[in-house]
Amino acid sequence: MRHTLARAALILCPTLALAVGDNEQQVSAPAISYGDRPAYLIDKLPEGALKTKLRSCEGQTPKRSLFSIGHRGAPMQYPEHTVESNVAAARMGAGILECDVTFTKDHELVCRHAQNDLHTTTNILVSDLADTCVVPFTPADGDTPATAECRTSELTLEQFRMLTPKMDSADKSATTAEAFQGGVAPWRSTLYTDGAASMTHAESIALFRDLGAKFTPELKSPAVEMPHDGFSQADYAQKLIDEYKAAGVPAKDVWAQSFNLDDVLYWIENEPEFGKQAVFLDASYRINGFVHTDPATFPHDFADLKAKGVNYIAPPLWMLLSVEDGKMVPSAWAKAAKKADLKIITWTLERSGPLAHGGGWYFQSVKDLTTDDSMYLQVLDVLAQDVGVEGVFSDWPATVTYYANCMGL
């Protein structure tokens, strides 16, 4: 499979060079190109200093940036967590690429956003493996939407490899499994799905390194009870790190993530070099009563997290922003995290589609200011210059790369 990924990357990017050394093919990093989207967004900006600055960089030579993080690759247009999606993100200059990590029935680590998302991200419901789904496809009936649930933990790695990736979507009005495969958002695309290749976590490490990128794996919450056939949560967290060690990847190139604080603390205690850059994904927004502008509602003591060895924290971007006197400013949450000397990474830019109607979940704290797609760049500017984030996940990394290069980040 190592050579298969190399060949797949070469086919996707003919400018890649294959060099034979130590009996192993290596794929050199692709040339970086912004494409049209950054200029499209700049054109939409209101006249002012930000637009003038960004326009002044239109002739710059694109460079890879660690500030730019590929969120599942580049899933605005490519099936997430595939070779194709990550090659596209690398072409856009993303300096860090993500593999969301879950496990199969035989406890092999694979790149998948959730252990139970196969019914929306692959063709499993129309394949010979449909009978492995824990919730079989059930057609829509009146106001009751169509449902299904299919897990990697029900498949061996060999079976997982038999699935075909697709854009993450489902037509919940469907009355057949074939129709359920649809539902792709109109601002995404199915143009680049043909032949898309999924990856194991170990294969993602090899590919990302060949593409010239660093690594941010996320240990996903299991959909099954742990331990799973003797495989404990600690085993799971350790195996993720072990695969970097086996590949000879230095800890300084890895930002392991988890929403589970215990995972982060496990890495800090048992793999301290990797633990230094472990990222605690903050899901405070799920807690009843949480208000990102009211410190009295914050469930975490930031100073205590820092004392325990947590150095990086990552909330959704809306938690870092609020509006005062009609101006976008850092939120109380952002100020408190910075005061505790926590480094902030945030997610996810360009996952919301067109912003003409407020931007939805990711822009909820600045929805009154969000009237068009130029808000992607305005939000990015405040996150970088006022909040001081270390990096930004995006579904289309070219925008973040362009901004980072222009601003010298």
Side-chain angles (χ1 to χ4, degrees):
M1 189 64 180
R2 174 72 173 85
H3 290 179
T4 299
L5 290 176
R7 288 193 297 271
L10 182 61
I11 291 169
L12 285 166
C13 188
T15 60
L16 294 182
L18 287 181
V20 178
D22 297 326
N23 298 317
E24 187 174 68
Q25 289 178 306
Q26 298 293 325
V27 184
S28 63
I32 298 169
S33 173
Y34 296 131
D36 295 336
R37 185 162 175 79
Y40 166 81
L41 296 176
I42 293 167
D43 287 345
K44 286 185 172 294
L45 280 169
E47 297 299 326
L50 179 59
K51 186 170 188 173
T52 299
K53 173 62 178 175
L54 292 177
R55 272 190 168 167
S56 75
C57 298
E58 287 184 355
Q60 69 182 354
T61 300
K63 297 179 181 179
R64 194 170 312 285
S65 173
L66 295 180
F67 189 80
S68 178
I69 307 171
H71 179 245
R72 316 183 204 177
M76 181 185 286
Q77 300 291 306
Y78 295 83
E80 63 186 45
H81 291 309
T82 59
V83 173
E84 291 75 7
S85 188
N86 283 287
V87 169
R91 282 172 166 161
M92 297 180 207
I96 303 174
L97 297 175
E98 179 186 43
C99 169
D100 288 333
V101 178
T102 188
F103 58 85
T104 60
K105 186 175 184 179
D106 44 356
H107 302 148
E108 295 297 330
L109 303 186
V110 296
C111 298
R112 192 62 26 207
H113 179 62
Q115 192 168 58
N116 60 344
D117 73 358
L118 296 179
H119 51 289
T120 63
T121 61
T122 75
N123 69 333
I124 190 169
L125 290 175
V126 293
S127 78
D128 292 340
L129 294 169
D131 60 358
T132 67
C133 295
V134 296
V135 177
F137 173 73
T138 303
D141 183 10
D143 293 333
T144 303
T147 58
E149 183 182 347
C150 309
R151 300 175 177 174
T152 61
S153 52
E154 298 298 312
L155 305 178
T156 64
L157 177 58
E158 182 180 2
Q159 290 173 315
F160 174 78
R161 291 194 189 281
M162 295 167 62
L163 300 176
T164 299
K166 72 178 191 70
M167 296 298 285
D168 185 9
S169 65
D171 182 351
K172 295 188 177 181
S173 67
T175 57
T176 67
E178 288 75 14
F180 192 75
Q181 307 299 292
V184 178
W187 43 271
R188 294 188 185 273
S189 175
T190 59
L191 288 174
Y192 308 109
T193 60
D194 185 47
S198 59
M199 297 180 290
T200 67
H201 176 236
E203 289 163 355
S204 79
I205 294 172
L207 178 67
F208 297 176
R209 180 164 54 188
D210 287 347
L211 292 171
K214 299 184 188 298
F215 315 86
T216 186
E218 181 189 337
L219 196 74
K220 302 302 295 190
S221 298
V224 294
E225 186 176 348
M226 299 293 279
H228 179 262
D229 293 339
F231 189 60
S232 70
Q233 186 69 24
D235 294 334
Y236 182 27
Q238 186 62 52
K239 186 165 185 173
L240 181 146
I241 299 300
D242 285 346
E243 293 196 344
Y244 289 95
K245 294 165 72 173
V249 175
K252 65 181 179 61
D253 289 347
V254 181
W255 287 263
Q257 316 166 67
S258 181
F259 278 102
N260 181 357
L261 180 58
D262 287 341
D263 292 335
V264 175
L265 297 178
Y266 174 88
W267 291 324
I268 290 170
E269 180 179 353
N270 295 280
E271 292 288 351
E273 290 304 307
F274 287 88
K276 289 177 183 177
Q277 292 189 161
V279 182
F280 175 41
L281 296 165
D282 189 353
S284 294
Y285 56 86
R286 297 174 183 167
I287 298 173
N288 189 37
F290 170 77
V291 180
H292 76 297
T293 57
D294 183 1
T297 70
F298 297 173
H300 303 296
D301 182 320
F302 294 134
D304 181 60
L305 288 176
K306 183 70 176 181
K308 289 178 178 177
V310 177
N311 291 315
Y312 286 84
I313 193 166
L317 61 85
W318 67 263
M319 279 176 53
L320 297 171
L321 305 171
S322 58
V323 177
E324 294 179 4
D325 299 324
K327 182 180 178 182
M328 187 165 32
V329 297
S331 68
W333 189 102
K335 293 176 182 176
K338 294 294 285 187
K339 183 178 180 180
D341 195 31
L342 291 171
K343 297 178 180 180
I344 302 172
I345 297 171
T346 192
W347 43 278
T348 303
L349 202 71
E350 296 184 273
R351 190 158 182 81
S352 304
L355 301 182
H357 303 291
W361 191 84
Y362 287 95
F363 286 76
Q364 60 187 279
S365 60
V366 293
K367 63 181 180 180
D368 292 342
L369 303 182
T370 304
T371 59
D372 61 57
D373 287 355
S374 72
M375 184 54 74
Y376 280 122
L377 290 171
Q378 295 179 63
V379 160
L380 186 56
D381 191 51
V382 174
L383 291 172
Q385 306 301 330
D386 300 332
V387 176
V389 301
E390 301 287 319
V392 178
F393 282 88
S394 177
D395 277 17
W396 199 249
T399 302
V400 180
T401 306
Y402 183 103
Y403 178 90
N405 284 337
C406 188
M407 297 298 181
L409 299 179

